[in-house]
Amino acid sequence: MNYLPVFLDIKNKPCLVIGGGQIASRKISLLVRAQAEITVIAPEITPEIHDQAHDGAVTWRQKRFSADDLKDYQLVMAATDNRKVNAEIAAQCKQRNIWVNAADDVHSCNFILPSIIDRSPVQIAVSTGGASPVLARTLRAKLENCTPAAYGRLAKLIEDNRLRVKEKFSSTEQKRKFWEKIIQGPVAELVFSGQMDAAQKLLQEAIEHEDHRDLPQGEVYLVGAGPGDPDLLTFRALRLMQQADVVVYDRLVSREIMDLIRKDAELIYAGKERAQHALPQESINQLLVRLAKEGKRVLRLKGGDPFVFGRGGEEISTLIDEAIPFQVVPGITAAAGCAAYAGIPLTHRQHSQAVIFATGHLSDGTVNLNWEMLAHENQTLVFYMGLQGLEVICTNLKKHGLAPATPAALIMQGTTAQQKVIMGNLDNLPALVDEHDVKPPTLVIVGDVVQLHDTLRWFNPEEDVTASAVRFFGART
Ligand code: SAH
């Protein structure tokens, strides 16, 4: 080990920064966060440092550095833009046994600064001992991704309750086990999802009722898995997928996403094929309740977003009735995902000032959509589950005033390597379904923005059929 990692308490301690440019500015920001008492010595400073001096966060001495300046400091940052000057300052500091960091010059320093992940009071510092700052930053980014932003709040909650836990348990082993359970269980999840009062209450209950047995405490995560591309998962979705004990999933969740679930998690298929539900909704609600009551961490994984045609509301209302802790994690809904990957902006200053998400799922053959509201120019319509009723949709939009040549697209398996975009208009769209063997999941987008696909398309795993459709039916007049 070439360096000893330490965390210095420099709160209200005099620290000196020499230099007033961008490099110095970065060091100053760091020292400000650590609440040091900062003096800056430089003939000139950036506007940002000016502001900090104005606010009283730093004291600026407008002068050139001289060795005498060092006498009141134990920690110095040599941060001028001149490497030689920094090295000289560092040499003088070392002679006086002052801790000094010289910017970008590890050999002149007697301490170096790590890359930091700050979830105060939790901090993670990464260093390669100066070998490769880029490598350190890359590693930092990876850790950043898997460290929930609310870790600081969790640490604070633990700190606030530490004494009470200490009083409750006599052995260190019991305390350790207790905190492990808290950190990996619903209390932590409540903190991560921003429910601090509920977290405190649950922790309090856990402290009061903990009688050395491991009481099971289940919870449910209602998670949106996005439209298919695993890269579109949220950090939180991925983290919960990796800690769930059991996963209740839909048909729409892609194989690649399923592969990211913790390997030993139990998988339960909840189906949801149109008109052929593998499990009726009521049974799914009850299943979630039962699994959570068994003490399991239950992940309810849904395609897209759970609150967009996902029946998420119904599922959590049962959980509320049964007082089961839960959280809802949004996902990228099919409209957003498919539109982005098809190069069809859902709104556009010239073409569309509003966007409507509608369901095209027709129960018992009737359509109860508000056609008056839908059939307007300058807006975009997105139909989920619109394949079966496509004929009815197109006919009604035309009947209520939209031009037959209004551009419309079918996006099949959007965002995946199998994505197919089929371009047409309100007249020909139903025929294109058979012609191109279009199958669910497919999204229907109607409106002038659709034509932008021709110029804005960028993701194209399979040749799409824009050309033939336009050639056959002609451009819109
Ligand atoms: N909760 C989901 C929607 C569920 S309804 C969401 O927010 O996306 C199911 C419908 O969503 C499908 O019939 C289809 O119209 C659409 N859909 C979902 N994923 C899709 C995808 N990858 N490509 C195209 N359409 C998709």
Side-chain angles (χ1 to χ4, degrees):
M1 199 154 86
N2 289 332
Y3 293 90
L4 176 72
V6 292
F7 291 87
L8 290 182
D9 176 8
I10 60 164
K11 209 176 292 148
N12 303 321
K13 302 263 169 27
C15 296
L16 179 64
V17 177
I18 301 155
Q22 293 306 329
I23 302 169
S25 188
R26 282 201 294 275
K27 310 281 180 194
I28 291 169
S29 303
L30 200 61
L31 293 175
V32 167
R33 278 161 65 190
Q35 302 169 59
E37 186 190 300
I38 307 157
T39 300
V40 180
I41 290 183
E44 282 162 32
I45 53 176
T46 62
E48 191 189 349
I49 305 175
H50 251 294
D51 289 348
Q52 287 167 317
H54 183 259
D55 296 345
V58 305
T59 305
W60 177 32
R61 294 177 62 202
Q62 185 170 18
K63 66 187 281 293
R64 297 206 159 275
F65 165 77
S66 76
D68 277 353
D69 296 327
L70 296 174
K71 65 178 186 311
D72 297 324
Y73 302 95
Q74 289 173 302
L75 189 141
V76 171
M77 303 275 190
T80 74
D81 53 9
N82 184 324
R83 196 180 162 93
K84 219 168 123 221
V85 172
N86 291 343
E88 279 163 20
I89 297 169
Q92 305 217 19
C93 288
K94 286 192 208 160
Q95 262 178 22
R96 291 168 169 76
N97 280 329
I98 296 171
W99 291 108
V100 63
N101 177 272
D104 296 327
D105 182 6
V106 68
H107 301 295
S108 295
C109 300
N110 57 13
F111 77 92
I112 54 173
L113 293 166
S115 278
I116 297 167
I117 296 153
D118 187 7
R119 305 277 192 268
S120 287
V122 177
Q123 285 183 301
I124 306 172
V126 179
S127 171
T128 56
S132 169
V134 177
L135 187 62
R137 279 201 293 275
T138 309
L139 190 55
R140 188 193 71 94
K142 285 190 184 197
L143 291 167
E144 186 88 54
N145 295 351
C146 64
T147 313
Y151 251 51
R153 272 185 284 170
L154 179 62
K156 184 79 181 47
L157 182 78
I158 294 172
E159 192 177 32
D160 291 347
N161 289 276
R162 245 182 117 126
L163 264 181
R164 291 164 56 210
V165 173
K166 212 168 157 184
E167 280 161 13
K168 178 91 188 185
F169 302 104
S170 43
S171 85
T172 316
E173 177 68 7
Q174 283 169 349
K175 259 184 302 195
R176 185 181 60 76
K177 280 209 166 122
F178 177 80
W179 282 125
E180 268 175 10
K181 215 175 112 188
I182 294 300
I183 290 167
Q184 290 162 19
V187 172
E189 282 310 324
L190 284 169
V191 173
F192 297 155
S193 58
Q195 306 174 69
M196 289 307 289
D197 290 347
Q200 175 62 44
K201 193 161 159 261
L202 195 60
L203 177 57
Q204 215 153 313
E205 277 169 23
I207 296 171
E208 276 159 24
H209 300 296
E210 188 69 36
D211 53 0
H212 315 263
R213 275 179 299 137
D214 269 352
L215 292 170
Q217 176 89 61
E219 57 187 325
V220 176
Y221 320 131
L222 178 60
V223 175
D229 181 347
D231 277 4
L232 297 180
L233 283 170
T234 59
F235 292 141
R236 187 175 290 177
L238 186 61
R239 187 170 55 76
L240 297 174
M241 283 162 73
Q242 289 172 354
Q243 75 178 31
D245 300 311
V246 48
V247 178
V248 181
Y249 67 100
D250 278 355
R251 185 182 56 90
L252 270 180
V253 179
S254 71
R255 187 68 259 156
E256 291 93 326
I257 287 175
M258 294 299 294
D259 284 345
L260 296 171
I261 292 169
R262 204 180 92 189
K263 292 294 167 255
D264 51 351
E266 182 191 348
L267 301 181
I268 301 176
Y269 176 61
K272 277 279 173 58
E273 218 126 357
R274 191 179 44 71
Q276 182 202 317
H277 295 180
L279 280 178
Q281 189 61 48
E282 187 50 29
S283 315
I284 297 176
N285 301 351
Q286 291 312 324
L287 176 70
L288 298 178
V289 169
R290 180 171 61 75
L291 292 167
K293 284 192 170 166
E294 285 168 12
K296 294 185 174 137
R297 290 170 293 185
V298 186
L299 179 85
R300 174 72 176 112
L301 195 58
K302 288 174 168 285
D305 181 275
F307 278 6
V308 179
F309 306 120
R311 304 202 184 188
E314 296 166 47
E315 289 175 13
I316 61 172
S317 95
T318 319
L319 299 174
I320 289 171
D321 292 346
E322 302 279 345
I324 288 168
F326 69 90
Q327 59 175 294
V328 184
V329 182
I332 292 184
T333 190
C338 294
Y341 278 53
I344 299 175
L346 291 175
T347 65
H348 190 285
R349 281 195 295 167
Q350 270 93 52
H351 304 282
S352 168
Q353 280 72 55
V355 51
I356 297 174
F357 296 174
T359 169
H361 182 63
L362 319 172
S363 45
D364 60 7
T366 58
V367 195
N368 43 12
L369 288 172
N370 183 345
W371 301 112
E372 297 284 328
M373 176 193 71
L374 295 175
H376 278 283
E377 294 202 333
N378 299 320
Q379 68 182 14
T380 309
L381 308 176
V382 182
F383 292 95
Y384 287 70
M385 299 168 279
L387 271 192
Q388 199 204 14
L390 194 60
E391 184 81 58
V392 184
I393 290 169
C394 291
T395 306
N396 272 291
L397 289 176
K398 285 186 285 182
K399 204 165 99 193
H400 288 79
L402 280 189
T406 304
L410 298 166
I411 303 164
M412 180 160 66
Q413 296 192 48
T415 79
T416 71
Q418 292 75 42
Q419 171 175 302
K420 232 171 151 183
V421 179
I422 294 150
M423 299 285 286
N425 56 39
L426 286 180
D427 258 350
N428 67 15
L429 209 61
L432 292 174
V433 172
D434 283 341
E435 197 177 310
H436 296 282
D437 195 24
V438 178
K439 301 230 156 51
T442 292
L443 198 76
V444 183
I445 305 186
V446 179
D448 280 348
V449 288
V450 167
Q451 70 203 356
L452 294 168
H453 166 81
D454 293 339
T455 44
L456 301 185
R457 54 193 276 196
W458 57 273
F459 176 77
N460 191 24
E462 280 201 14
E463 186 54 31
D464 70 25
V465 295
T466 314
S468 71
V470 169
R471 215 181 312 121
F472 189 70
F473 295 98
R476 195 183 174 203
T477 49

